Amino acid sequence: MELLTIHHEDFTMYVECSKYESIWGKAVRNVGKENLLTTYTWTDGVKSATINDEPIENGGQAKAVFFDNTEYPIWVEFGSHVSKAQFGSMLQTDNDRFSFRGHTLAGFINYGNEIGRSELQITYNIGKEQKLFKLGYEVLSTKLNYHEHWKKIIEDIEAEYRMLSLDYMKRTFHGFSPDTKGDTPELIWWSIFAGEQEKFVKACRSIIERPRHRLRGYEVYLRADKLKRVPTNIENELAEHRREQAHLYRVEEHIQSNDTQENRFLKYALSQIATKYEMLKKRIEAIKNTSASLKQEMDEVEKTLKHLQRNPFFRTVGKFKGMNQESLVLQKATGYSQVYRTWNLLRRAYSLNDGIYRLQSKDIATLYEIWCFIEVSHIVKELLGEEVDVDHRNRMEMSGVFTWELGKGEHSRILFRKDGIELAELVYNPKHTDKENDSISMEHLVVPTVAQKPDIVLQLTKDDIEKGMKMTYLFDAKYRINDRTDAGVDTPPDDAINQMHRYRDAIYYKDNKGGDTSLKKEVIGGYILFPGNGDPTEVARAKFQQSLDEVNIGAFPLRPNDEENRKLLVHFINELIDKASTEILEDTIPQKGLYYSTDEPKNAVYMILTIDKDVNDDENAIMNGTAESIIMGRKGMEEANDIQTIRYIAPIIPGGHIKGYYKVAKANLKQIEDSDYPIRIKFDVTEWQQLEKPAKFGMVRAAYRGFCKTREEFFKLCKEQAINVTGVAGATGATCF
């Protein structure tokens, strides 16, 4: 369907979009119709402009046409007097999508995740004259309110990492204004000078043609007949030597000189700007996607600056040594004031507040990802309390031409400590490879298959089971919303949820201590953060929230200024922080400390377990084969190695006999009231096998406790009712066979 039509004196432009109705409906649902207006502007020559046959005015507001991640075919039909036309973008890939045949320029544009102000530019030739047409508008998001949410995201990022939001070679731009703080990155220098270069060059030429002079005095020696006037200080000397025609008199004459403080400043400023421009130009030309038209424009500017530097005017101008006092010439004189203004603009700092200057930012998907990382860090900080120490090891790193990105893995780590004890760790974009994880902070995580790269990793340190035990949770920020809703609530994309399942299955834990190189499940849960909307009560009932309790994988809607839905994430992370390790592992499928399997591991352990009456409720049920669980005693906790390998248990009471053995269905951790050993191992048991004749639990020295045999020996000994090596009678421990 034809959305936007521009009737120009030289052409007619048509902008189309086949999916506009569904896109508009999605945007209205997520953002609100009142927030989908944009201001349209265009250059001279337009006779009329319409959107869906509704007329629009130059500089007036109308419904938005352009949205992110949407393809727009564009047709420009020129009159027969136009000989050549092309699409004018700084990105060569955009220009390559357009072709000029006959008298029609046709192509398409897709802004991807770039939102903000944009200009559609068309250059065309009438005879030897080249003309330029610009159509200005805003590219809006279908998921977030550009005028509210984007601003909040930028403010939060800039408060944490100044200038991290900026980027270059983007299709959209934003207004920004001077700031009293900070520095001037090269990107801002380039962006400012792009708008000032024409005025700066014009001002330099104006000064060279009509420079400001000053009278400079110098001493000369002249005969009496060459004096134009007689200074009072040589009157006596003239009377004394009036008869000596060859006598020379020292006098001061004045000439107009270009070597003024203001002209020295001009020479200095022109030299500095030309040098900086040449350096940045080379870096921009190295970008593969730089368009030919942009390169040509930069070449012309560089030649002009160098040509001005070589002007003979500057031969008589000295070196700039700074300003001794304020100069009214630099502030008000024609030409000089513009040079001084440009110089000040290039030296000042700027912020991404609404202003008259243009600046390009990272795409909204990247900004949303960074913002989510910052939000999670703020939530963790809030929950741990003000007294917690935050160790920011995260930093920005130079990327591309002159833009910054947030460091990844170890370079983005945030540690939360209290009284010197590590409580939590947050990492942005750690890359898990087929080797050991390249992030030092997460050295025990491995991926045996393909590389995995979750956006945010949160590790909470728990000391209740073992000192420094870490629970790992993954968060992935997705700037996407599913096309379908759940009871009026936005839902995350299906592939994003599936990705969290893959993360949890792919990332393993390897301790490497004591020669243990076995892989264990590491990730406890995975959660999607997405810019969804919905009533908090209904969101809590949604499937992606209910799945958190079932499989520890789900999603949280997170968008700027939505405090109610943010509380869901705050409450969830608070539960993770407050929960004991035993409670976490009890609810986890399956993790470190938790074992489910029907297959026996190669290093399976077969154990004779002395029953501790203090922690087991019914020892008779255990010995008679009717028990459903057995809790290990103190000695067993001292001697147990890897509880995941214990597959069969033969229970015995001190001084008694072995009557049979159980098969272990599940090994887990349980917290009890015991100051020395508050964490015990609880075995869920099944398939009781009665021995034909009870086996005697012999008396042996403590040195033999813990001796383990193979599976074949275990069953052989049980069948023959002969136990060779046992524990000390009466000990509440475990002996392995």
Side-chain angles (χ1 to χ4, degrees), residues 63-98:
K63 67 183 295 187
V65 168
F66 294 92
F67 290 95
D68 55 351
N69 296 300
T70 306
E71 193 166 290
Y72 293 90
I74 298 175
W75 304 79
V76 186
E77 297 177 354
F78 290 93
S80 57
H81 59 291
V82 175
S83 58
K84 181 182 178 181
Q86 63 182 15
F87 191 75
S89 171
M90 69 168 58
L91 302 179
Q92 189 59 38
T93 50
D94 285 349
N95 295 334
D96 291 342
R97 295 192 184 110
F98 285 79

Side-chain angles (χ1 to χ4, degrees), residues 134-204:
K134 292 183 181 180
L135 173 65
Y137 47 82
E138 285 175 330
V139 181
L140 301 185
S141 168
T142 57
K143 309 167 189 68
L144 295 174
N145 183 348
Y146 168 66
H147 304 286
E148 177 187 352
H149 296 148
W150 181 88
K151 184 177 181 181
K152 174 63 174 172
I153 288 175
I154 291 295
E155 288 176 351
D156 289 350
I157 293 176
E158 290 296 302
E160 203 89 6
Y161 309 96
R162 179 170 166 74
M163 298 302 170
L164 178 60
S165 306
L166 305 184
D167 210 333
Y168 186 65
M169 299 289 281
K170 297 296 181 182
R171 303 175 182 88
T172 59
F173 57 87
H174 314 273
F176 68 109
S177 58
D179 192 2
T180 56
K181 301 178 181 179
D183 54 2
T184 306
E186 291 175 334
L187 173 58
I188 289 187
W189 190 101
W190 184 266
S191 301
I192 287 290
F193 190 65
E196 292 286 316
Q197 60 192 23
E198 185 177 343
K199 291 179 283 186
F200 179 77
V201 168
K202 184 178 179 181
C204 290

Side-chain angles (χ1 to χ4, degrees), residues 346-413:
L346 295 175
R347 295 176 60 212
R348 297 176 72 176
Y350 292 85
S351 63
L352 279 166
N353 296 319
D354 291 338
I356 62 175
Y357 305 109
R358 294 184 176 185
L359 197 61
Q360 297 169 13
S361 74
K362 289 180 172 61
D363 63 82
I364 185 62
T366 302
L367 293 175
Y368 181 73
E369 179 182 299
I370 297 172
W371 179 78
C372 285
F373 173 73
I374 293 173
E375 275 294 282
V376 173
S377 71
H378 288 173
I379 290 172
V380 174
K381 175 69 168 61
E382 292 169 11
L383 295 175
L384 292 178
E386 291 298 326
E387 63 275 11
V388 72
D389 296 324
V390 182
D391 181 3
H392 282 270
R393 301 190 181 183
N394 49 334
R395 64 170 185 257
M396 297 194 301
E397 300 172 340
M398 183 60 74
S399 171
V401 187
F402 33 43
T403 57
W404 296 87
E405 66 178 14
L406 189 60
K408 296 177 174 59
E410 170 67 14
H411 298 168
S412 68
R413 180 166 64 154

Side-chain angles (χ1 to χ4, degrees), residues 462-601:
K462 304 284 185 177
D463 293 328
D464 48 356
I465 293 180
E466 62 181 53
K467 187 174 180 59
M469 184 176 184
K470 294 189 176 184
M471 305 294 181
T472 303
Y473 305 90
L474 305 184
F475 295 86
D476 228 31
K478 296 296 183 186
Y479 176 68
R480 289 189 288 139
I481 300 176
N482 212 332
D483 290 335
R484 68 175 185 275
T485 60
D486 182 359
V489 173
D490 290 332
T491 59
D494 294 341
D495 63 320
I497 294 293
N498 291 335
Q499 188 177 47
M500 301 316 296
H501 283 281
R502 291 196 298 272
Y503 281 156
R504 191 167 68 178
D505 292 340
I507 301 175
Y508 289 81
Y509 172 88
K510 184 190 290 187
D511 197 349
N512 291 329
K513 292 181 180 178
D516 182 14
T517 59
S518 61
L519 295 179
K520 303 175 179 64
K521 297 297 292 183
E522 167 59 24
V523 178
I524 292 180
Y527 321 102
I528 298 296
L529 305 177
F530 70 107
N533 194 15
D535 180 82
T537 304
E538 296 299 326
V539 169
R541 298 172 182 168
K543 185 178 180 181
F544 60 79
Q545 278 280 298
Q546 297 298 318
S547 63
L548 295 173
D549 295 332
E550 297 174 4
V551 294
N552 228 331
I553 285 179
F556 293 90
L558 188 64
R559 58 192 337 203
N561 301 324
D562 187 352
E563 292 298 323
E564 292 303 315
N565 279 319
R566 182 180 185 269
K567 289 178 182 178
L568 295 173
L569 180 60
V570 173
H571 176 72
F572 181 76
I573 295 179
N574 188 45
E575 283 190 337
L576 299 182
I577 292 174
D578 289 345
K579 273 185 179 180
S581 299
T582 51
E583 189 177 356
I584 294 174
L585 295 177
E586 179 71 30
D587 298 334
T588 304
I589 309 173
Q591 298 297 324
K592 291 176 293 187
L594 182 63
Y595 191 82
Y596 294 86
S597 179
T598 56
D599 300 325
E600 294 182 9

Side-chain angles (χ1 to χ4, degrees), residues 618-630 651 659-662 684-690:
D618 192 345
E619 63 177 277
N620 292 328
I622 295 176
M623 298 305 300
N624 294 333
T626 59
E628 295 181 353
S629 64
I630 303 174
K659 298 181 180 180
Y661 55 88
Y662 291 97
D684 290 349
V685 293
T686 184
E687 298 182 17
W688 168 258
Q689 294 292 326
Q690 181 82 30

Side-chain angles (χ1 to χ4, degrees), residues 647-666:
R647 306 317 306 274
Y648 292 91
I649 291 178
I652 189 172
I653 58 176
H657 292 70
I658 298 175
K659 298 181 180 180
Y661 55 88
Y662 291 97
K663 184 175 182 179
V664 176
K666 175 181 175 182

